[in-house]
Amino acid sequence: GFGIARDFESGFARRLLLAAPNRSGIVLGYALAALARWTVTATVLTVVALKKEILAYCFDPLLAEASGVRAGFIHYLLMVLIALVIIVGLPITGSVLVTALLVLPGVTATLLTRRLAAATAVAVAAALVAAVAGVAANAAWRFVPIGPAIVVVLFGSLLEAAYLFRW
């Protein structure tokens, strides 16, 4: 489950170790990786546990409230989760990549499907494919940075989905 997080943790810590001659940044690297792991776990567990309530709130907050869903709680819970993802993601990846990873996979998925489970699967798959393609582009051509390559692949998948399924 956390194999990717462990690989990230060791790679991130190794980069900090090489970048910091006095090696004081290594503790920060481990703390940031642990915080990222807990944020991902908390976000996934919350969405799984409150799937029906979140779905009802996202489609129609007033109807959800009339149906007994605590819409105010769901609203602020989603805002806190998004804020945590942004706060943890900014030092790791940067503002452009955090924004792209929050927006582009979801938009691409909603162009392809209208069902929540399918849209979630498509969004995760699009983000993973873009991440792998970005790393592969960097491995093939060292002058291509990983982050911008991921954004370009995500934007390309969005344009492809828009072209194939909407026009």
Side-chain angles (χ1 to χ4, degrees):
F2 293 115
I4 293 173
R6 276 195 291 275
D7 292 343
F8 163 77
E9 181 177 344
S10 64
F12 186 71
R14 192 175 314 116
R15 276 184 277 142
L16 276 178
L17 184 62
L18 293 174
N22 61 3
R23 295 170 179 28
S24 63
I26 196 73
V27 175
L28 176 64
Y30 281 118
L32 192 57
L35 182 61
R37 186 180 311 141
W38 281 107
T39 302
V40 168
T41 304
T43 302
V44 168
L45 289 177
T46 302
V47 170
V48 167
L50 298 174
K51 184 173 98 171
K52 289 191 311 186
E53 289 83 0
I54 291 172
L55 185 63
Y57 170 77
C58 288
F59 278 121
D60 190 357
L62 295 177
L63 181 64
E65 182 122 24
S67 301
V69 174
R70 294 175 34 203
F73 172 75
I74 297 295
H75 173 79
Y76 289 112
L77 177 68
L78 289 174
M79 295 301 114
V80 166
L81 289 175
I82 290 172
L84 279 174
V85 168
I86 291 170
I87 289 168
V88 170
L90 279 176
I92 296 170
T93 63
S95 61
V96 174
L97 189 56
V98 167
T99 305
L101 285 172
L102 282 173
V103 174
L104 292 175
V107 172
T108 302
T110 55
L111 286 174
L112 300 176
T113 182
R114 296 287 180 224
R115 300 196 43 88
L116 180 63
T120 303
V122 169
V124 169
L128 286 174
V129 166
V132 169
V135 171
N138 177 264
W141 304 288
R142 287 306 212 182
F143 62 89
V144 176
I146 296 173
I150 292 172
V151 173
V152 167
V153 172
L154 282 172
F155 188 68
S157 66
L158 171 66
L159 290 179
E160 183 179 2
Y163 180 75
L164 292 176
F165 294 97
R166 291 293 174 209
W167 289 308

